[in-house]
Amino acid sequence: MIIQKYLIVNDTPVLFSSSILHADMVSAAGKVESAGFFVLHRSKADHSLKVICFGESSSLLISSRPDVDQQLISSYLGIHD
């Protein structure tokens, strides 16, 4: 399982490596609505993918919104339930 980071800016996910600080990804393009970590989980039963969001950005002091962020990232990646 690979843990990655994300920001949500203007309802759009920005996905990036966990080796980069959240604060280093912020631009003047808009207000950061949430930030945290995510993984892609593949079900053993039917091999479907699911986005799981968690945590917070300590460099930005912004939390994730798991339910909302999971939906936004899933849609962005073309993963449908």
Side-chain angles (χ1 to χ4, degrees), residues 1-6 15-20 36-42 49-54 73 77 79:
M1 186 177 327
I2 299 172
I3 298 174
Q4 299 291 325
K5 290 183 177 180
Y6 74 91
L15 311 177
F16 54 98
S17 170
S18 61
S19 64
I20 300 171
F37 300 85
F38 78 98
V39 296
L40 295 177
H41 180 268
R42 183 173 299 278
L49 281 176
K50 179 178 181 180
V51 175
I52 301 172
C53 295
F54 58 94
I73 294 171
L77 294 175
I79 299 171

Side-chain angles (χ1 to χ4, degrees), residues 13-78:
V14 178
L15 311 177
F16 54 98
S17 170
S18 61
S19 64
I20 300 171
L21 288 174
H22 285 100
D24 291 341
M25 294 298 293
V26 175
S27 70
K31 181 183 176 221
V32 176
E33 298 160 11
S34 62
F37 300 85
F38 78 98
V39 296
L40 295 177
H41 180 268
R42 183 173 299 278
S43 167
K44 290 183 181 183
D46 62 5
H47 302 288
S48 63
L49 281 176
K50 179 178 181 180
V51 175
I52 301 172
C53 295
F54 58 94
E56 63 186 25
S57 166
S58 59
S59 62
L60 295 176
L61 301 175
I62 298 174
S63 295
S64 62
R65 306 170 299 179
D67 293 336
V68 173
D69 298 347
Q70 287 166 186
Q71 288 289 4
L72 289 170
I73 294 171
S74 293
S75 178
Y76 179 78
L77 294 175

